[in-house]
Amino acid sequence: MRTAPRVGVFGLLGSGNLGNDGSLEAVLGYLRTRHPDAVVDALCGGPEVVTARYGIPATRLHWYRGEYRTASRAGAIVSKGLGKLVDVVRTAAWVRRHDVVIVPGMGVLEATLPLRPWGFPYSLFLLCASGRLLNTRVALVGVGAAPIGSRPTRALVRWSARLAAYRSYRDDLSRDAMRAMGVDTSRDEVHPDLAFALPAPAGAPSGPRGRVCVGVMDFHGGDDDRAHAEEIHRRYLDGTTRFVRALVEDGRTVRLLTGDAVDATVVAAILDAVDSPLVTAAETASLADLMEEAAAADAVVATRYHNLVCALKAGTPTLALSYAAKSDALMGLMGLAEFCHPAREVDADRLLDLFRELEKRSDELRRTLAERNRETTELLDRHFTALTAALFPAHAPTPTSRKAS
């Protein structure tokens, strides 16, 4: 008699980032559909949110509750340092209780946004090292990766990937980045982002004609841009605000979207600067909410990666304010490679011209997206079958059972 697999999910989940939580939701959907007997719990950033929203037990990722606040006082510095040591034991004890631990999607092997090595990269290394030592399979499923400038961060990411029992990536760029870091990727798969496995909005769009969704981000550049972060943010905010103002002057209704709680300051700044009843902010708590907003719009212009995923999944013509190569790769995968504009240098006039071209080709692009979405669904279905064979061999269908079905 087969015993129920004990499965852990790990990451900055329930912490306010909708993309991270959407990736978790996709993996939980896979487990509930293909492994309904699995006993699942989480080690994550926001355990209360994860338990309330997804109905699974959850444990806080860090012993020190102020982990992601800058420690300036002596007491806080000591507590944070002590927490790093305590987390070694906590992480190992949690890993030991599982047969498999899944890190669901997310850009866990990249530093395209500001990142300190002793933050999440250290936590991921503890997880993967514990898995190797305790014979628990750690799977990095559909993750993002990118070249990393910081040597300590790069070392932690490289060793985390090497120690993991299974790796798959959301694009070729991610696999290439890990290969360049010295990781053997010969058996690693590439498949569309896990969020494409989430259901598309049902029914016809209900928004007013002419609505444009603009997904904004508290963007300050990447990990190597700290010295110029405020200048990058100012250019991004100024250019995006000018673009929204131009849409309003054309009489368009604009709906502002976010993908993380930290983006609220950007929404507030744009609302204050444009000061028009035509501009409103959406209240979204999940990727499903974002998809519904995108489906109700004529077009979407977005910065955050999973804002783009949601708009593309909804089949709405989309223009990317691209801040990393992953956004360009995503747009290329979905047939909209030419509709990218750099987030670091938002030129409202050029962006408006590109947006008008997007709208001019709306019918054609909707057909393209419908076809690409069918393809991504098929690719992810095949990937989940391969994932079962890799992580749950006792539960994988045999060739005979496949033939019989």
Side-chain angles (χ1 to χ4, degrees):
M1 180 178 178
R2 294 185 304 197
T3 59
R6 300 165 300 171
V7 182
V9 289
F10 177 95
L12 293 178
L13 310 165
S15 301
N17 184 286
L18 301 187
N20 292 358
D21 291 355
S23 298
L24 168 63
E25 187 175 347
V27 165
L28 291 178
Y30 153 73
L31 291 171
R32 287 165 178 163
T33 300
R34 303 203 182 199
H35 304 281
D37 59 336
V39 179
V40 183
D41 73 308
L43 185 64
C44 60
E48 298 86 358
V49 173
V50 167
T51 297
R53 184 174 295 166
Y54 303 109
I56 61 174
T59 303
R60 187 173 298 280
L61 180 59
H62 302 290
W63 173 80
Y64 179 56
R65 290 176 176 264
E67 173 63 33
Y68 292 103
R69 294 194 298 268
T70 300
S72 55
R73 295 183 177 180
I77 293 172
V78 170
S79 295
K80 180 172 281 193
L82 177 60
K84 299 300 177 187
L85 298 176
V86 174
D87 286 343
V88 173
V89 178
R90 293 177 71 254
T91 302
W94 182 80
V95 168
R96 184 190 292 273
R97 299 199 299 267
H98 300 85
D99 301 305
V100 174
V101 174
I102 296 176
V103 180
M106 307 178 285
V108 297
L109 303 178
E110 64 182 52
T112 52
L113 297 176
L115 184 70
R116 298 296 190 188
W118 54 83
F120 188 77
Y122 173 76
S123 300
L124 183 65
F125 172 74
L126 291 184
L127 172 78
C128 296
S130 296
R132 179 62 66 92
L133 290 170
L134 300 171
N135 201 30
T136 296
R137 285 165 289 180
V138 173
L140 310 180
V141 179
V143 298
I148 297 173
S150 165
R151 292 180 65 182
T153 302
R154 186 169 64 249
L156 286 169
V157 164
R158 179 173 60 247
W159 276 105
S160 295
R162 285 176 172 173
L163 292 168
Y166 177 92
R167 296 177 299 271
S168 66
Y169 307 97
R170 63 189 178 192
D171 51 44
D172 289 316
L173 291 173
S174 296
R175 183 167 61 182
D176 292 345
M178 295 315 298
R179 183 184 299 120
M181 288 187 208
V183 177
D184 179 5
T185 62
S186 58
R187 296 186 178 184
D188 297 355
E189 293 189 12
V190 173
H191 54 80
D193 188 85
L194 291 172
F196 280 106
L198 298 174
S206 58
R209 289 181 60 84
R211 172 183 284 182
V212 181
C213 283
V214 178
V216 301
M217 179 178 178
D218 186 29
F219 179 60
H220 292 77
D223 197 47
D224 297 329
D225 298 318
R226 293 177 184 272
H228 308 286
E230 290 309 313
E231 179 186 352
I232 291 170
H233 181 68
R234 179 187 57 78
R235 287 200 303 264
Y236 170 79
L237 181 57
D238 288 351
T240 306
T241 301
R242 287 184 59 210
F243 174 69
V244 171
R245 186 178 290 117
L247 292 176
V248 169
E249 290 171 354
D250 283 346
R252 304 296 292 269
T253 300
V254 177
R255 190 79 158 156
L256 300 178
L257 307 179
T258 61
D260 194 293
V262 300
D263 301 334
T265 57
V266 178
V267 170
I270 293 175
L271 289 173
D272 184 61
V274 178
D275 191 21
S276 168
L278 293 177
V279 185
T280 57
E283 295 185 4
T284 52
S286 66
L287 293 193
D289 293 343
L290 283 173
M291 286 188 210
E292 289 181 3
E293 291 285 348
D298 285 5
V300 176
V301 179
T303 310
R304 280 198 179 273
Y305 182 83
H306 279 98
N307 275 196
L308 294 173
V309 170
C310 288
L312 296 167
K313 174 74 176 180
T316 303
T318 302
L319 196 163
L321 285 176
S322 176
Y323 69 89
K326 62 183 179 182
S327 299
D328 298 337
L330 172 65
M331 295 294 283
L333 173 70
M334 300 303 287
L336 279 75
E338 63 201 276
F339 294 104
C340 294
H341 184 85
R344 294 167 182 273
E345 300 286 348
V346 180
D347 182 318
D349 294 330
R350 287 174 50 213
L351 183 58
L352 198 58
D353 288 342
L354 193 58
F355 174 77
R356 286 168 177 156
E357 178 65 20
L358 180 83
E359 291 213 301
K360 188 186 302 182
R361 295 172 53 188
S362 178
D363 290 343
E364 168 203 342
L365 297 176
R366 286 181 181 274
R367 290 192 296 271
T368 297
L369 287 172
E371 177 60 28
R372 296 298 174 93
N373 274 312
R374 282 192 290 271
E375 293 172 1
T376 59
T377 298
E378 292 171 1
L379 288 169
L380 278 169
D381 186 65
R382 290 202 292 269
H383 171 65
F384 285 139
T385 298
L387 187 63
T388 290
L391 300 184
F392 308 100
H395 295 69
T398 64
T400 301
S401 65
R402 286 196 197 101
K403 188 173 181 180
S405 63

